[in-house]
Amino acid sequence: MANLILILGDQLSTTLSALEGADQENDLIVMAEVHEEASYTNHHKKKLVLVFSAMRHFAQELEKHGWRVQYQPYHPNNPAQSLQQVIATAVQQHQPKRLITTECGEWRLHRQISQWHKTLGIPVEIRPDTRFICSHKEFAEWADGKKQLRMEFFYREMRKKTGLLMTPDGQPEGGHWNYDADNRKKWTGKPPAPGPFRVEPDDITQAVIKQVDEHFSEHFGTTDDFHFAVTAEQAQQALEHFIDFALPCFGDYQDAMSDTEDWLFHAILSPYLNAGLLDPMDACKAAVRSWHSGQAPLNAVEGFVRQILGWREFVRGIYWLLMPGYAQENRLGNTRKLPWFYWTGDTKMRCMHKAIDATYRNAYAHHIQRLMVTGNFALLAGVKPEEICDWYLAVYADAYDWVELPNVLGMVMHADGGYLGSKPYAASGKYIHRMSDHCANCHYKVNKATEDDACPFNALYWHFIDRHRDDFANNHRMGMMYRNWDKQKPERREALIKRANWLLEHIEEL
Ligand code: FAD
Ligand code: SF4
């Protein structure tokens, strides 16, 4: 045998760099569902089903196309419980010349794999992950010498590099780089939201669902109503479904939240992009085609392209630039434990209950729920970054360390001192009220701040502003907040702080 080729659960792409130049007759592909990877965090049951089922389908597809694949399905009593054990056994069995793999998406595993050559006794070739648009080197060069990194400027570079939404003379289509100001409508039930693309579980997926229910019963979430795509072909259909039915309204309602509708006009493509079932450039190009054909407006298409070409590439760049130290950051000095209702949804705060309940059922909540509801609450309450990061890593089908960590630690918790975002996304209940219909159905009153039934976000917001004066008073984007706070009567400020202290002491009862 020539080479062993290791393919991981989020590397399900036939264009994977590890497969480049491989020899179907002499090389052997190894894929394994191992206990260590499935259980290092409390992964949502639907995420486990998605990854295991997509891996099994991918292995079948490879074999159909002539590859030799050695596949270990999950079993709690498998002798090899870690990837390293699987590979060590395969090396003993097959005596390959070397191991080839594509760099993984997580520092923890990357560190392990980069040491394997010492114990395996064969060379380990780790190839770059070419499925991303910006390489590590390119990102590091762009970031070099900058005190703070701003996504907007990185995004413009990526637009120029790819030519997406650019005129032939190098200008942004429509004359602007960004149409975010047009993307802030509240959704009131019309037009109806299309819902996600749904795939009926086939025999393979059903077998995985049974296994996950049996062996991971303690994990967060439910396998009920599993409808994710598990092959590249189905993920492509999910992309087409989004382009045809949701993209035209994606921009308008990008920041909206609803008490009755889980998915709104979001793409629901991140689980597929991150597992390798869908190519990010293909997704962007499909959206741009839809604008060219007059099917979707520019504010929607630009907004979608910015999320993938901008945010997705930007957070990945930051992750690999700053790990492993980045994961330890806690610049706001937070010490609070994660409230238990993050796992149960058992809270009277309607917006929180709705976001956590959707997360539990779907392994999905859209960006604004993650950022402005569950994230905002953790920021205002001063939850320890590592605890809230662990939660986000566990509960979403699209959660992988490289994308979850910068979003939570940097964007939401501002724990990196503003390296990723120029100001914290802290907001009172007013913001949630403006963008949703949750408050009308809530136990708390959004227009009250100090009374017993007042919206907790209101007093907690001012507590956050007050306790972090040293961190933010000189931030020019926060100056207005401090002027507003200082303008309030001392009795009012005292009442707000008193209410916030009470809320923080009784946080588990909210
Ligand atoms: P849409 O809203 O329709 O956006 C389209 C695509 O853009 C997404 O599929 C995604 O690939 C990309 N995208 C959008 N925003 C971001 C972003 N901030 N970072 C990276 N990619 C982005 N995304 C993940 O893929 N995995 C995570 O673990 C994850 N954790 C998050 C945690 C927090 C606290 C926050 C605020 C955001 C997080 N995101 C994460 C980003 C974003 O919320 C999800 O990508 C998005 O909700 C996925 O749903 P969608 O496909 O319907 O996205
Ligand atoms: Fe959320 Fe406050 Fe509105 Fe209740 S009143 S839904 S807690 S923002």
Side-chain angles (χ1 to χ4, degrees), residues 221-392:
T222 172
T223 58
D224 290 353
D225 189 31
F226 183 89
H227 53 72
F228 285 124
V230 289
T231 66
E233 194 184 336
Q234 292 164 358
Q236 185 62 34
Q237 289 164 2
L239 170 64
E240 285 158 21
H241 173 87
F242 165 67
I243 299 282
D244 288 346
F245 302 112
L247 179 63
C249 292
F250 172 83
D252 288 355
Y253 303 109
Q254 201 178 349
D255 286 1
M257 291 174 276
S258 163
D259 213 54
T260 50
E261 164 54 49
D262 290 338
W263 316 90
L264 288 166
F265 298 89
H266 289 275
I268 315 148
L269 293 175
S270 49
Y272 314 138
L273 289 164
N274 296 353
L277 298 178
L278 195 62
D279 178 71
M281 271 305 275
D282 287 350
C284 290
K285 284 181 186 163
V288 172
R289 275 199 302 276
S290 166
W291 174 61
H292 281 302
S293 68
Q295 204 189 337
L298 187 54
N299 70 312
V301 173
E302 186 282 317
F304 179 72
V305 168
R306 175 155 31 90
Q307 304 312 310
I308 294 183
L309 198 59
W311 280 112
R312 188 169 185 271
E313 295 289 326
F314 180 66
V315 297
R316 175 179 184 259
I318 288 191
Y319 181 84
W320 287 109
L321 190 68
L322 300 180
M323 281 301 277
Y326 197 64
Q328 313 304 321
E329 293 276 22
N330 182 9
R331 301 273 184 98
L332 296 183
N334 292 357
T335 53
R336 191 170 305 284
K337 278 178 61 165
L338 185 74
W340 188 244
F341 54 70
Y342 272 79
W343 296 109
T344 61
D346 192 6
T347 164
K348 297 190 284 290
M349 292 180 281
R350 182 75 176 183
C351 52
M352 289 287 284
H353 166 73
K354 278 285 166 183
I356 297 165
D357 178 58
T359 301
Y360 182 88
R361 287 181 287 107
N362 302 328
Y364 178 89
H366 60 73
H367 186 69
I368 292 301
Q369 291 176 305
R370 298 188 204 195
L371 180 65
M372 300 310 293
V373 179
T374 44
N376 185 23
F377 188 85
L379 173 73
L380 299 184
V383 173
K384 280 188 215 162
E386 65 190 88
E387 294 212 2
I388 187 71
C389 287
D390 279 355
W391 183 78
Y392 276 102

Side-chain angles (χ1 to χ4, degrees), residues 132-134 139 142 149-160 162 164-165 177-178 280-281 284 301-318 402-403 406-407 411 420:
F132 288 90
I133 296 152
C134 182
F139 191 85
W142 174 79
L149 302 186
R150 292 294 161 256
M151 193 287 293
E152 183 63 32
F153 300 115
F154 168 78
Y155 165 57
R156 291 179 191 180
E157 294 305 311
M158 290 299 104
R159 288 268 296 273
K160 288 181 208 158
T162 57
L164 284 169
L165 290 177
W177 290 101
N178 181 321
M281 271 305 275
C284 290
V301 173
E302 186 282 317
F304 179 72
V305 168
R306 175 155 31 90
Q307 304 312 310
I308 294 183
L309 198 59
W311 280 112
R312 188 169 185 271
E313 295 289 326
F314 180 66
V315 297
R316 175 179 184 259
I318 288 191
W402 65 267
V403 54
N407 269 300
M411 192 188 304
L420 184 144

Side-chain angles (χ1 to χ4, degrees), residues 449-451 459 462 485 489-502:
T450 56
E451 298 83 341
W462 289 118
W485 178 232
K489 292 199 174 113
E491 315 82 84
R492 171 80 178 163
R493 287 207 301 261
E494 205 179 300
L496 282 164
I497 297 297
K498 190 168 160 219
R499 165 82 175 148
N501 281 332
W502 187 92

Side-chain angles (χ1 to χ4, degrees), residues 1-4 26-27 91 94-99 121-124:
M1 148 156 345
N3 301 310
L4 275 188
N26 294 310
D27 293 344
V91 168
H94 304 289
Q95 306 287 317
K97 284 207 197 94
R98 60 181 175 158
L99 173 70
I122 52 166
V124 176

